[in-house]
Amino acid sequence: MNKLRLLLAAAALGACAAPQAPRTDLQRWEQQARNVTITRDDWGIPHVKGRTDADAVFGMIYAQAEDDFHRIETNYLNAMGRLAEAKGEREIWRDLRMKLFIDPVALQAQYAASPDWLKTLMDAWASGLNYYLATHPETKPMVLTRFEPWMALSFTEGSIGGDIEDVSLRELEAFYGGKAPAGGGDEDKAPEEEPGGSNGLAIAPSNSASKHALLLINPHTSFFFREELQMTSDEGLNAYGAVTWGQFFVYQGFNDRAGWMHTSSGADVVDEYAETIGKRDGQPFYQYGTEERPVTAQQIMVPYKTASGQATREFTVYRTHHGPVVREASGKWIAVKLMNSPVEALTQSWTRTKAKNYAEFRATMQLHTNSSNNTIFADADGNIAYLHANHVAKRDPKFEWQRPVDGSDPATEWGALHGVEESPFVLNPKSGWLYNTNNWPYSAAGPDSPVQQEFPGYMETFPENARGLHAMAVLSGRKDFTLATLRDAAYDSWLPPFARLVPPLVAAWEGLAAGDPLKVRLEQQIATLRAWDHRWSAESVATSLAVFWGERLWQQVRGDVGSEELLIHDAIANKTTPAQQLDALAKVSDKLAADFGKWQTPWGEINRFQRLTGDIVQPFNDAGSSIPVPFTGGTWGSLASFAARAYRGTKKIYGTSGNSFVAVVEFGDRVRALAVTAGGLNGVPGTKHFNDQAERYAKGDLREVYFHEDQLAGHTERVYRPGEKK
């Protein structure tokens, strides 16, 4: 960049109401930009090359900002408890929740004490974002006009909010605000919360046609939750995959020798302590053994946006040695204990991207900061592994850890963390496959799975699920997997719950008396379901009937599900009568006819993908352009998940989460992969890559990944350095 362009960049900072960057900063950023090359392929995916790892970080975060700066800023506003500064008073309680755990002063001190190599990466991250803002005056930040390196420590895992999401906003407001707000549910969720659903499958060389290990990477997240990119350096970095907006590491992906897929875990990694509170001289104390300990009080300021400018609300918050107090129950103050080790978490997130084999990947687990995720791993040496969430503390199993435990009892303290071998763990099973679908790990490798009775109950709280049954069915007994057939398995159309639920429904109809009005009214519907193979398709009328029927019954029973009903079809079968099932089918038929003119409406005419704006939840419109999606939500066992519902003014249902990134990878002498990203890479409506992958996404038509430089030949859209204009 010449002198005139430097001056223009400085002026641009002033134009977007940002502090003017010192000339030395601009020169430093420009110097680092010379060490970076960004190659955009014909899907818009950035392949970032840096001389050093720090240069690659600088370039990849700059490229992310080009594609969707808004999501980067939103993620960090949420992570630092500053959303209300942009979105107003409604976000005060979310911000307070984050500020209970995220302290900028502490993060700055932790940054200062970080190892030099990590500080260098955080410096490059901040520089790349600031350089983007300096060279793109048309981008108007909501709040963050300058990024500081320590901010990277506020968001060190792949999900927004992480374990902190377990703290209820309604109960937090009830405690610190004096009353609970009306309603409940969605207000507890982050703006782009990662839903609890993902698939990871690994195939051993013994079960693949090429005798190479294979891996399915399939996070189920909010759509447009992550960027897809590649980052390489002359220091050995070469990682490709899904990157949560604003982070500088590949969260779920692969390098030239190994790959990793994280699935949300059911391990109990967050605990609540019921503190017995008293007062002395007007100050609260809590009981701990024979001691009376003072409760720590702290003032927290939460700024928020108003129509006339910024205002601030001040809170006095309380802590015990267990953690911050977040609510009250039965006269006790409830404190929360969870992992909060940002330097170690960021270190683990980064170093696993450079692990080239199982031993190196396993070494990263010793940091014990992958708290809320399981991992499916595969490498070019032929190893496959299931690794459980690795921040699970040893606890006395006599306590019911799913409920608040007595904070006054020292026996409830956490012990040391469980090691890998002390957790559910599978390495190279004889079955030749392993998987996780956010279910328990006790079926992860079929007959070679961990044994539930060998682990404490707090090690896993999720049950088996329908996707787990489906995964075992497609993985078992097959020895010839390829990239193509692993992709096909990931889109296999079977819906296991309906194989259990439909035959009793048919039998209930057959048992009706000849004169019963339902006998005639449901004759055609029953014939349709009787002939159905329990597989989804866009053309299937039976899928429409079954999904809406199943959802109606699930809404009736979900609040009364017992521990013996681990699967959705068990719960529905056990909690509904034949008469209720037939009545539900009649009502669903009427609803389909009212909404679409006839109950015989194919699933693809109802279940739609539509992208109109850069937001996830947008003003969906039945009159607008949309495309059919043949697969269903994961609730019904579909491995390819599309979570959809109707919105105000719509009859069709529109998906906002589920399959968001799908990749199948083969690890041989030369890694090969296929992938697809929901919709398109760029978050700006009207741009070329805003929605160019939508058709492929809906059809499961994965494209070739251009991992190697020779693959980019003929597939290159643009090659440039950060700061260069088109």
Side-chain angles (χ1 to χ4, degrees):
M1 181 182 285
N2 58 30
K3 182 177 180 181
L4 176 59
R5 291 184 68 192
L6 282 171
L7 292 173
L8 289 173
L13 280 173
C16 67
Q20 186 172 5
R23 180 182 178 86
T24 53
D25 281 349
L26 288 167
Q27 291 173 331
R28 176 169 51 84
W29 300 335
E30 171 60 18
Q31 179 61 46
Q32 189 156 26
R34 294 193 188 103
N35 299 333
V36 179
T37 302
I38 301 172
T39 302
R40 295 275 182 175
D41 67 25
D42 47 18
W43 297 101
I45 296 164
H47 302 257
V48 180
K49 171 74 173 178
R51 292 184 185 177
T52 66
D53 287 356
D55 294 334
V57 166
F58 179 97
M60 69 89 81
I61 200 65
Y62 179 96
Q64 284 187 56
E66 288 184 298
D67 291 333
D68 206 327
F69 176 82
H70 171 75
R71 273 196 172 78
I72 294 173
E73 184 183 16
T74 298
N75 283 355
Y76 278 89
L77 290 176
N78 181 73
M80 294 188 292
R82 299 183 62 182
L83 269 177
E85 294 178 48
K87 299 182 180 295
E89 192 172 7
R90 72 181 187 273
E91 300 294 353
I92 283 177
W93 297 103
R94 190 184 315 281
D95 283 356
L96 178 63
R97 178 172 65 181
M98 296 304 295
K99 288 176 183 290
L100 288 174
F101 300 92
I102 304 296
D103 178 9
V105 174
L107 293 184
Q108 290 168 39
Q110 290 169 322
Y111 162 78
S114 295
D116 288 343
W117 69 266
L118 186 58
K119 281 200 287 189
T120 299
L121 298 183
M122 289 188 275
D123 292 344
W125 170 84
S127 294
L129 287 169
N130 291 329
Y131 188 51
Y132 169 80
L133 290 175
T135 54
H136 291 76
E138 70 280 6
T139 297
K140 309 296 184 184
M142 294 179 289
V143 174
L144 298 177
T145 57
R146 185 177 178 88
F147 289 81
E148 299 295 338
W150 61 265
M151 293 178 179
L153 291 172
S154 68
F155 188 18
T156 54
E157 289 193 280
S159 300
I160 304 297
D163 301 330
I164 298 172
E165 292 290 337
D166 285 355
V167 175
S168 166
L169 294 182
R170 292 183 296 114
E171 293 180 326
L172 187 71
E173 182 174 358
F175 187 79
Y176 287 113
K179 64 175 183 178
D186 288 346
E187 72 272 12
D188 280 3
K189 298 179 181 178
E192 296 186 19
E193 181 194 15
E194 181 169 14
S198 296
N199 300 323
L201 312 179
I203 306 296
S206 62
N207 285 22
S208 75
S210 64
K211 302 309 175 187
H212 297 147
L214 304 173
L215 178 67
L216 167 71
I217 300 170
N218 180 207
H220 294 175
T221 70
S222 301
F223 292 158
F224 330 124
F225 185 80
R226 296 196 173 109
E227 170 89 305
E228 179 182 350
L229 58 75
Q230 182 177 21
M231 54 190 305
T232 66
S233 79
D234 294 337
E235 295 182 335
L237 175 69
N238 189 2
Y240 188 107
V243 180
T244 308
W245 291 107
Q247 294 181 327
F248 63 72
F249 53 86
V250 173
Y251 180 58
Q252 292 156 319
F254 58 96
N255 57 42
D256 56 329
R257 298 289 297 174
W260 57 97
M261 168 61 203
H262 300 307
T263 58
S264 298
S265 177
D268 181 357
V269 296
V270 178
D271 283 318
E272 292 188 324
Y273 288 82
E275 310 286 19
T276 302
I277 302 296
K279 282 196 174 182
R280 187 187 304 109
D281 299 327
Q283 300 301 313
F285 64 84
Y286 66 104
Q287 193 74 32
Y288 186 69
T290 59
E291 303 175 50
E292 291 181 348
R293 295 186 174 186
V295 174
T296 301
Q298 176 193 7
Q299 302 302 119
I300 289 182
M301 311 296 288
V302 180
Y304 61 97
K305 181 180 179 181
T306 72
S308 58
Q310 290 287 326
T312 301
R313 187 162 174 183
E314 183 175 358
F315 296 92
T316 300
V317 300
Y318 301 101
R319 301 176 188 275
T320 71
H321 75 282
H322 293 122
V325 176
V326 300
R327 65 187 180 93
E328 185 174 5
S330 302
K332 306 279 189 177
W333 286 11
I334 308 300
V336 169
K337 186 176 181 65
L338 50 76
M339 184 198 82
N340 192 358
S341 305
V343 173
E344 292 82 358
L346 188 55
T347 299
Q348 184 169 354
S349 293
W350 174 262
T351 54
R352 67 175 168 240
T353 68
K354 299 187 73 172
K356 297 301 181 73
N357 54 52
Y358 172 72
E360 293 178 5
F361 193 91
R362 169 70 180 276
T364 70
M365 300 289 286
Q366 300 309 312
L367 288 164
H368 291 290
T369 49
N370 192 30
S371 66
S372 57
N373 296 306
N374 307 316
T375 302
I376 302 295
F377 174 86
D379 69 18
D381 295 330
N383 296 302
I384 63 172
Y386 169 87
L387 301 158
H388 204 58
N390 76 329
H391 189 90
V392 182
K394 296 178 182 178
R395 283 157 279 183
D396 191 330
K398 74 180 181 183
F399 295 106
E400 192 174 358
W401 291 98
Q402 290 302 292
R403 298 178 180 274
V405 294
D406 184 0
S408 69
D409 186 349
T412 61
E413 292 297 328
W414 284 7
L417 298 175
H418 284 278
V420 171
E421 280 82 9
E422 298 170 323
S423 307
F425 164 69
V426 183
L427 176 64
N428 297 328
K430 292 179 182 178
S431 63
W433 53 264
L434 48 80
Y435 81 98
N436 188 255
T437 61
N438 314 110
N439 59 336
W440 60 17
Y442 307 123
S443 60
D448 304 308
S449 302
V451 177
Q452 183 178 10
Q453 290 72 24
E454 295 178 0
F455 301 95
Y458 59 73
M459 186 62 74
E460 180 60 56
T461 65
F462 287 170
E464 183 60 275
N465 62 28
R467 284 183 292 121
L469 296 181
H470 193 171
M472 286 186 280
V474 299
L475 292 171
S476 298
R478 183 162 192 169
K479 301 290 186 181
D480 60 349
F481 275 103
T482 64
L483 277 184
T485 57
L486 182 58
R487 173 203 60 203
D488 293 345
Y491 286 88
D492 187 81
S493 58
W494 186 42
L495 300 175
F498 294 118
R500 161 83 187 275
L501 293 172
V502 168
L505 174 69
V506 173
W509 177 84
E510 290 174 340
L512 291 174
D516 193 309
L518 278 179
K519 190 80 168 182
V520 175
R521 184 179 175 190
L522 296 178
E523 181 177 5
Q524 293 183 47
Q525 291 92 321
I526 291 295
T528 298
L529 291 171
R530 181 191 282 120
W532 186 39
D533 58 2
H534 313 126
R535 292 184 173 275
W536 52 250
S537 75
E539 298 76 27
S540 170
V541 171
T543 303
S544 303
L545 270 179
V547 168
F548 284 104
W549 172 72
E551 288 180 351
R552 187 177 186 90
L553 291 174
W554 179 235
Q555 290 301 320
Q556 291 178 214
V557 306
R558 64 186 306 170
D560 187 34
V561 174
S563 59
E564 74 281 2
E565 291 137 352
L566 300 181
L567 296 161
I568 187 171
H569 48 262
D570 289 332
I572 292 175
N574 294 343
K575 298 292 184 181
T576 61
T577 65
Q580 288 174 315
Q581 294 171 18
L582 289 167
D583 179 68
L585 183 61
K587 286 184 167 60
V588 162
S589 300
D590 291 344
K591 182 71 164 59
L592 287 170
D595 287 348
F596 303 104
K598 57 182 179 180
W599 65 261
Q600 301 96 328
T601 303
W603 179 238
E605 293 184 20
I606 300 170
N607 197 48
R608 311 292 289 186
F609 178 90
Q610 184 177 75
R611 194 177 191 190
L612 301 174
T613 73
D615 294 326
I616 297 168
V617 179
Q618 56 189 334
F620 292 107
N621 182 354
D622 283 349
S625 176
S626 64
I627 60 174
V629 175
F631 40 97
T632 73
T635 300
W636 304 110
S638 180
L639 293 173
S641 174
F642 188 74
R645 66 176 178 87
Y647 290 79
R648 181 175 297 179
T650 76
K651 301 296 186 184
K652 298 175 183 178
I653 61 175
Y654 297 91
T656 58
S657 66
N659 275 22
S660 55
F661 174 69
V662 188
V664 288
V665 191
E666 180 177 5
F667 297 98
D669 296 332
R670 178 181 165 100
V671 68
R672 184 180 169 223
L674 308 173
V676 72
T677 290
L681 197 74
N682 196 289
V684 180
T687 55
K688 180 178 179 181
H689 301 299
F690 178 69
N691 211 33
D692 59 334
Q693 296 186 57
E695 291 282 354
R696 283 181 174 270
Y697 165 79
K699 295 177 180 177
D701 183 14
L702 277 57
R703 50 179 170 69
E704 190 82 16
V705 168
Y706 309 135
F707 184 83
H708 306 282
E709 286 190 20
D710 58 7
Q711 291 178 294
L712 282 167
H715 298 288
T716 297
E717 200 170 74
R718 185 184 174 211
V719 181
Y720 62 102
R721 299 189 187 282
E724 292 180 358
K725 300 297 182 182
K726 290 185 179 180

